[in-house]
Amino acid sequence: MAQRPSRPTTRKTLLGVAAVVALAALNAPAVAGFAQHAYHRYEINQPEYKAKYGHWALASLPEKYQLNSIHAILLHTGKVLLIAGSGNSVKLFEGRAFKSTLWDPATDTFKKIDTPADLFCGGHAQLPDGKILVAGGTARYEVLEGDVKRAGGAMLVKNEDPDRARTFPKGTLFRSPSGVEYRSQFPVRVPAAKKTPTGRIGPVKVTASEARVFVEAVEEGPLGITNTTEQYAIVGLQGKDADNLYGIANKLGLDKKDFQGIKDAYEFDPVTEKYTKVGSMREARWYPTLTTLSDGRVLAVSGLDDIGQIVPGKNEIYDPRTQTWSPAPTRYFPTYPSFFLTGKRKIFYSGSNAGYGPADKGRTPGLWDLRTNVFTPVPGLKDPDVLETSSSVLLPPAQDKKVMVLGGGGVGESRAATSRTAIADLDAEHPAFTTGPRLPENTRYLNSVLLPDDKVFTTGGSHDYRGKGASDILKSQIYDPAKNIFTPAADPSVGRNYHTEALLLPDGRVAVFGSDPLFADKADSRPGHFEQRVEVFAPPYLHQGGRRPDLALGGRTDVDHGSEVVLHTTDPAGISRVRLIRPGSATHVTDFDQRSVALDITRRAGGTLTVRVPDDASLVPPGWYMAVAVDTRGVPSRAVWIHVFV
């Protein structure tokens, strides 16, 4: 692995600055520190340094638009949708102060967006028409044991009436045989009971239907605790309704209450810049993964449900044409599993995830065939017990079908972390991981972003859980898949760990958002503060001097799979490659959409390039893409937007 950046300069400048530093050191350490900082600031702004390592700059985010960025999504308008929801703030959650901000990096301008629900820790994906599906979010915040005031838990609401479904609003009361009352925290709909004929002329068998809802005791304290199965009357029902409809609960206690998800789903329109509610999911989800399939539908898996437990493998698919959900094959995964579409109705799970779930369940990487619901493990990954909060990317170009896993930590609040990287070749006869080059340090929460020159930019992270012990890593690297090596990049000035995300921008820069450390000092004695600064990295290819390639569309924006696209450029002969890059959709160092597809150059004529879009919809899922031309120096053009339709 390459060493950290050396500090090249002229002999005259070096001796002069060294003399200043030495003189300052003789007078006072503080002055010496200032001189060293001044030298570093001078050095990183030199053209030679930028050309080798790139350059960081802070975006100017006005205070009125600042938010705890949990989700960052690049839109086909070139703007970035930043979603906080309640932003991991109980105060904002209780005040229903849900936030989204739209940032235009081209003009460095911002706009507040009305946010209809707490989309904090939901899932999201790019839809074929360019809208963004956002599904799930927060119904309830975690309450630690000792802070729980009212006993609560799951209540199954039963319906033995075969002729009528019933809906009970939030706040419905359930009364135990001993008279203790519990209040539902959400509305619940209970289908009609099921009728089953027992013979041609025999009686009909009625099977009670059921639906689950979270309840809490009306009164505070231990009176509401029960560890036995009880039947609960629904307060206000009489006669046959009281007989047919009732609650069943096994345990209602004062133990820890975890985060709870919502069923709500929305589409965000980049043109109108508004959220619109669509059909709700069948399951509530908090920390779900959404993956766009080759036919434009979206698979939703995992997440914490409406009682704070991981959804037990009940997956579902969203159809944007009808804006409704239908069941998908049943399979269990921990929350925010990293998925990659690798074939028609075939998903690769890298093993990376963002927490929540037992250490011995759903952690094995493998290929999942949605048609047969067969899961085939992919072996060979070293340190498989430190995959939580690891990073995963589909290496460019996507045609190679190679997925890289980088770093990671132990399950939960473990201090374990690794510098391991590994690459799975999914195009091999027997797919398996091989070990890649190590990161400079043991790292969890690493952000990894695909660049137009077929390299991968990685930045940030921490050694410890949520940056404990002041363990943020102020380093960046660039991975070259062709050479299988990391080279150092300029160091960021802002530490990033939990709740951080990064995106490639249309101009070739990389923007990094968020970070939610537990503590603010090395001794872990002061609470941390959410990082609201946005830092932008300009890779070395933007500092090579000379003219940058230009690119423009020569015709229609909408193209079909397998069709050709004419691009205008002043130097077609100087273009070495053209890439189709899907806009990112990132949260918790997981990007739901990121991929870079090679386009065959079929013709160079005059001031035009003709390129062909692959005809494989599993390689190029329908939607909007950035087309980028890269010259022989590795310098990319600014992106132009192309819409690949279903």
Side-chain angles (χ1 to χ4, degrees):
M1 181 184 300
Q3 299 298 311
R4 298 304 300 163
S6 59
R7 301 183 178 273
T9 186
T10 64
R11 176 178 175 82
K12 181 177 179 181
T13 301
L14 179 62
L15 292 174
V17 174
V20 172
V21 172
L23 181 62
L26 291 173
N27 287 278
V31 177
F34 174 80
Q36 290 170 344
H37 178 72
Y39 172 75
H40 177 67
R41 188 168 63 248
Y42 162 82
E43 181 190 34
I44 64 176
N45 284 289
Q46 298 309 298
E48 299 85 356
Y49 187 96
K50 293 179 181 179
K52 189 172 184 180
Y53 304 116
H55 187 262
W56 288 92
L58 288 172
S60 56
L61 183 60
E63 185 175 353
K64 66 180 291 187
Y65 299 109
Q66 291 176 5
L67 77 171
N68 295 353
S69 177
I70 308 293
H71 312 270
I73 306 164
L74 179 62
L75 310 175
H76 70 82
T77 58
K79 299 178 182 180
V80 177
L81 177 64
L82 300 173
I83 304 175
S86 59
N88 206 17
S89 167
V90 174
K91 181 179 179 181
L92 293 180
F93 175 77
E94 292 176 345
R96 298 191 62 79
F98 307 142
K99 298 181 180 180
S100 300
T101 289
L102 205 59
W103 172 44
D104 187 344
T107 59
D108 210 20
T109 55
F110 304 86
K111 176 182 177 180
K112 289 183 179 179
I113 302 296
D114 289 337
T115 308
D118 193 3
L119 305 179
F120 165 59
C121 291
H124 32 84
Q126 303 275 349
L127 293 174
D129 62 358
K131 294 176 183 174
I132 308 300
L133 175 65
V134 185
T138 307
R140 177 190 174 101
Y141 267 64
E142 173 185 70
V143 184
L144 300 178
E145 189 171 1
D147 295 330
V148 178
K149 305 301 181 184
R150 292 179 171 84
M155 177 79 71
L156 287 178
V157 186
K158 297 274 191 173
N159 184 6
E160 295 184 2
D161 184 349
D163 300 318
R164 184 183 179 194
R166 292 293 294 266
T167 297
F168 296 98
K170 175 182 177 180
T172 297
L173 292 176
F174 295 82
R175 182 178 294 143
S176 74
S178 63
V180 180
E181 291 186 345
Y182 301 82
R183 181 178 286 114
S184 64
Q185 301 302 299
F186 311 101
V188 58
R189 181 183 183 278
V190 195
K194 183 179 180 181
K195 294 180 180 180
T196 306
T198 58
R200 293 184 63 183
I201 58 174
V204 173
K205 179 182 177 182
V206 175
T207 304
S209 65
E210 63 183 35
R212 188 180 58 193
V213 67
F214 187 82
V215 300
E216 282 186 341
V218 173
E219 301 295 333
E220 294 185 0
L223 180 64
I225 296 175
T226 178
N227 293 305
T228 60
T229 301
E230 300 278 5
Q231 181 168 317
Y232 295 78
I234 300 177
V235 176
L237 297 185
Q238 297 177 352
K240 288 185 177 180
D241 283 346
D243 294 334
N244 288 330
L245 295 145
Y246 52 90
I248 297 285
N250 297 323
K251 178 184 177 181
L252 301 170
L254 290 169
D255 50 333
K256 175 189 172 183
K257 308 302 180 192
D258 225 320
F259 283 95
Q260 296 171 358
I262 60 176
K263 297 180 179 181
D264 295 353
Y266 296 85
E267 287 186 4
F268 181 82
D269 188 332
V271 177
T272 64
E273 299 179 346
K274 293 180 179 179
Y275 291 100
T276 299
K277 197 173 190 305
V278 295
S280 295
M281 294 182 290
R282 295 169 176 238
E283 299 290 327
R285 300 182 190 273
W286 186 87
Y287 268 51
T289 285
L290 271 59
T291 304
T292 303
L293 304 176
S294 58
D295 60 4
R297 297 183 302 160
V298 179
L299 171 70
V301 306
S302 194
L304 298 189
D305 62 18
D306 50 359
I307 62 170
Q309 297 178 356
I310 292 184
V311 177
K314 296 180 180 180
N315 308 310
E316 49 194 309
I317 292 178
Y318 178 75
D319 188 337
R321 293 169 297 182
T322 61
Q323 298 185 334
T324 59
W325 298 83
S326 60
T330 299
R331 187 159 297 277
Y332 175 96
F333 295 96
T335 55
Y336 279 145
S338 287
F339 278 6
F340 300 90
L341 182 66
T342 57
K344 188 175 181 181
R345 294 183 67 81
K346 184 171 285 188
I347 300 290
F348 175 63
Y349 166 47
S350 70
S352 295
N353 62 89
Y356 292 95
D360 59 351
K361 189 176 181 182
R363 304 275 174 170
T364 302
L367 286 160
W368 181 25
D369 191 326
L370 296 177
R371 293 168 297 184
T372 61
N373 198 19
V374 171
F375 186 88
T376 305
V378 173
L381 183 66
K382 292 186 177 180
D383 298 332
D385 56 340
V386 279
L387 274 172
E388 194 164 288
T389 65
S390 62
S391 179
S392 292
V393 291
L394 177 63
L395 291 175
Q399 283 92 334
D400 289 349
K401 294 186 178 181
K402 292 182 178 180
V403 173
M404 188 175 195
V405 174
L406 305 95
V411 175
E413 298 189 24
S414 167
R415 299 194 64 183
T418 181
S419 61
R420 173 264 294 119
T421 73
I423 300 167
D425 184 353
L426 304 178
D427 211 25
E429 183 179 357
H430 301 290
F433 282 96
T434 57
T435 301
R438 287 198 170 269
L439 295 165
E441 302 180 42
N442 293 342
T443 310
R444 57 194 305 169
Y445 312 110
L446 183 73
N447 275 293
S448 301
V449 178
L450 305 183
L451 300 177
D453 61 356
D454 286 352
K455 296 177 182 178
V456 182
F457 175 66
T458 69
T459 183
S462 64
H463 301 148
D464 206 342
Y465 176 77
R466 290 186 63 179
K468 289 174 68 175
S471 61
D472 282 353
I473 300 170
L474 293 174
K475 292 182 180 178
S476 297
Q477 304 77 224
I478 295 176
Y479 174 71
D480 186 341
K483 298 178 180 178
N484 195 30
I485 60 171
F486 283 101
T487 56
D491 297 337
S493 63
V494 180
R496 310 282 180 178
N497 51 73
Y498 181 57
H499 282 152
T500 181
E501 53 277 346
L503 295 174
L504 176 70
L505 300 177
D507 62 8
R509 296 179 298 161
V510 176
V512 188
F513 314 89
S515 190
D516 195 1
L518 272 179
F519 300 103
D521 62 335
K522 190 170 185 178
D524 295 340
S525 61
R526 293 184 288 114
H529 299 282
F530 202 104
E531 179 57 68
Q532 295 187 333
R533 288 175 293 175
V534 176
E535 197 167 19
V536 182
F537 177 69
Y541 55 55
L542 294 180
H543 301 282
Q544 297 307 304
R547 185 173 180 178
R548 187 175 179 180
D550 60 305
L551 196 68
L553 274 176
R556 57 198 174 100
T557 301
D558 292 338
V559 299
D560 198 359
H561 292 94
S563 65
E564 291 189 334
V565 180
V566 176
L567 302 170
H568 286 272
T569 181
T570 54
D571 184 18
I575 300 302
S576 65
R577 70 194 78 171
V578 179
R579 295 293 181 258
L580 206 57
I581 302 176
R582 193 166 175 88
S585 177
T587 185
H588 293 73
V589 299
T590 300
D591 196 313
F592 298 103
D593 286 288
Q594 187 174 215
R595 64 175 51 212
S596 176
V597 180
L599 299 185
D600 290 335
I601 300 175
T602 60
R603 188 165 53 253
R604 303 173 195 262
T608 64
L609 286 172
T610 302
V611 296
R612 186 181 300 277
V613 177
D615 60 5
D616 183 355
S618 68
L619 179 65
V620 188
W624 284 87
Y625 286 80
M626 295 182 285
V628 182
V630 182
D631 69 15
T632 54
R633 300 172 300 157
V635 178
S637 68
R638 294 178 181 272
V640 296
W641 289 92
I642 292 177
H643 183 213
V644 182
F645 55 85
V646 180

